[in-house]
Amino acid sequence: MQSKNNTKQRNSVIQGLRSFRDTLPKNVKKIINKKGHIYSETLNNWKYIVGEKLFKICYPKSFKNSNRFGVSTLLVMVKRGHEVDMEYSKKDIMDKMNSFFGYSVVEKLKFISFDDDQNIFTSDDNTEKNVTIKKYQTKINDIKNDKIKKSLIELTKVFKQK
């Protein structure tokens, strides 16, 4: 293997196979090390951090790292009606996260509530006799041959079912 001097990013580059981490620019590495690592580890271990009961009603949305203007904040989405449970366990979650990472990662938790209504729309087959779009329906109605007209309507019904 040969080594070359590369003045753009690194002092020396080893040709051949290298790890993905070594191919990234320095700026991207800094961003991943600062923010991406904490958020991805939080997502992967969220069930362990909050517990089984709270895992079903909340999930982390984003992580804002600390800077000179603010503290590091974790935004958590909570199902409507369970905000009080999360508020009571806020201190436990922060303690568990900080002990999981080994240093003070999160200083503040923010909760955002959301509705978890699963609206499943059912359509009655009796109310929809023609399932084609009106634009195509007028074109099908302009066809003079009844056999072709019926077969095109049946074809659109088959496509609508799939």
Side-chain angles (χ1 to χ4, degrees):
M1 285 198 198
Q2 295 177 341
S3 62
K4 286 186 175 179
N5 289 332
N6 189 353
T7 58
K8 289 183 181 177
Q9 290 184 11
R10 295 169 205 86
N11 292 338
S12 65
V13 175
I14 299 173
Q15 288 184 338
L17 294 176
R18 59 183 84 97
S19 67
F20 180 71
R21 188 190 70 180
D22 294 336
T23 61
L24 293 174
K26 288 181 182 179
N27 298 338
V28 175
K29 279 188 209 178
K30 287 179 186 176
I31 293 171
I32 289 174
N33 287 338
K34 273 187 179 178
K35 297 179 183 179
H37 170 69
I38 295 169
Y39 183 63
S40 66
E41 287 295 317
T42 305
L43 279 176
N44 291 338
N45 299 300
W46 187 246
K47 193 172 190 176
Y48 166 74
I49 292 169
V50 296
E52 184 73 33
K53 185 178 176 185
L54 294 177
F55 177 74
K56 295 178 181 177
I57 61 171
C58 66
Y59 63 92
K61 183 180 179 186
S62 67
F63 177 75
K64 292 182 182 176
N65 209 357
S66 61
N67 56 20
R68 53 189 147 139
F69 299 116
V71 296
S72 57
T73 306
L74 180 69
L75 289 172
V76 179
M77 298 295 288
V78 183
K79 286 183 187 177
R80 189 171 304 281
H82 298 280
E83 294 91 354
V84 176
D85 298 336
M86 289 299 292
E87 196 65 42
Y88 282 129
S89 60
K90 183 186 252 187
K91 179 77 173 142
D92 293 335
I93 292 171
M94 286 194 308
D95 290 342
K96 225 171 190 182
M97 276 194 70
N98 292 334
S99 67
F100 179 78
F101 285 102
Y103 60 98
S104 181
V105 174
V106 177
E107 299 169 16
K108 187 176 172 184
L109 284 176
K110 270 188 169 178
F111 300 126
I112 302 171
S113 60
F114 68 95
D115 289 327
D116 192 37
D117 295 336
Q118 299 273 336
N119 293 333
I120 301 171
F121 296 104
T122 57
S123 61
D124 295 333
D125 291 333
N126 297 336
T127 59
E128 279 189 38
K129 290 183 180 177
N130 289 330
V131 293
T132 58
I133 303 173
K134 289 183 180 181
K135 178 174 82 172
Y136 297 118
Q137 185 63 38
T138 56
K139 289 182 181 180
I140 291 174
N141 288 337
D142 290 341
I143 298 174
K144 293 180 181 178
N145 192 341
D146 289 334
K147 271 188 168 180
I148 295 173
K149 191 186 297 186
K150 287 180 184 178
S151 63
L152 284 174
I153 292 172
E154 290 297 318
L155 181 68
T156 55
K157 287 179 183 177
V158 170
F159 274 116
K160 185 67 174 185
Q161 288 174 356
K162 290 183 180 182

